[in-house]
Amino acid sequence: MSSSKKKKLTPVQQEYQKVQKEYEIKRPIFKNCLRAFLIGGLICVIGQLITVCYLYFFNFTEQTAGSPTVGTLVFISLLLTGFGVYDRIAQFAGAGSAVPVTGFGNAVISAAIEHRREGLVLGVGGNIFKLAGSVIVFGVFSAFVVAIIKWIFIKWGGL
């Protein structure tokens, strides 16, 4: 926005903005990005190690090892959230812990823990997918759209 379009500030508003800038918390963007990258990468490395375990010790194929790996990662995040460890990891890593599938598990169990006092049915059952429900809906819808697009390309010889 150009300076000619900016609203003229009163002297009190200008003074307030000066004071606000003095006390504004400086966010270490590079450090936060580095933390998110490292922790998110570590979560992915752990997922890859779990996949390798399923491949070699349980005779899964590369196509079938993905689902139990995701389930295992979600289960681990559920345990860590229940013991209060995942919140500390998320505080340190930010989006690095929220973007992988472990963030989904954390969102599900956090809502369940928060509403457990309201009972199993109305509390836990009614609120467990409060945060994660939209993720599931948009994920399923996106997969449907991609499948339709792929089907159209295959049907008409595009792929």
Side-chain angles (χ1 to χ4, degrees), residues 25-151:
I25 297 172
K26 306 294 185 246
R27 293 183 178 24
I29 295 173
F30 180 75
K31 187 168 103 175
N32 290 346
C33 289
L34 185 63
R35 285 179 175 180
F37 176 77
L38 291 175
I39 299 301
L42 179 63
I43 291 170
C44 293
V45 167
I46 292 169
Q48 188 62 42
L49 291 173
I50 293 169
T51 299
V52 169
C53 287
Y54 281 123
L55 288 172
Y56 290 108
F57 296 119
F58 298 104
N59 295 323
F60 281 87
T61 64
E62 287 187 21
Q63 288 78 24
T64 60
S67 295
T69 299
V70 169
T72 303
L73 284 171
V74 169
F75 181 74
I76 290 170
S77 70
L78 295 175
L79 286 177
L80 291 176
T81 301
F83 290 122
V85 175
Y86 201 87
D87 292 337
R88 292 185 191 143
I89 295 169
Q91 186 69 30
F92 178 80
S97 66
V99 172
V101 72
T102 54
F104 173 78
N106 176 260
V108 169
I109 197 67
S110 293
I113 290 171
E114 184 178 337
H115 296 284
R116 71 176 179 247
R117 290 188 181 151
E118 297 171 25
L120 288 176
V121 175
L122 295 177
V124 175
N127 293 295
I128 194 165
F129 290 115
K130 185 178 274 187
L131 296 173
S134 59
V135 173
I136 294 170
V137 168
F138 287 114
V140 169
F141 179 74
S142 299
F144 175 75
V145 170
V146 168
I148 293 293
I149 292 170
K150 182 179 177 184
W151 177 79

Side-chain angles (χ1 to χ4, degrees), residues 12-24:
V12 173
Q13 291 172 328
Q14 290 173 357
E15 182 66 29
Y16 177 78
Q17 283 191 344
K18 277 188 205 175
V19 172
Q20 181 186 10
K21 284 182 183 179
E22 282 181 34
Y23 291 102
E24 185 178 6

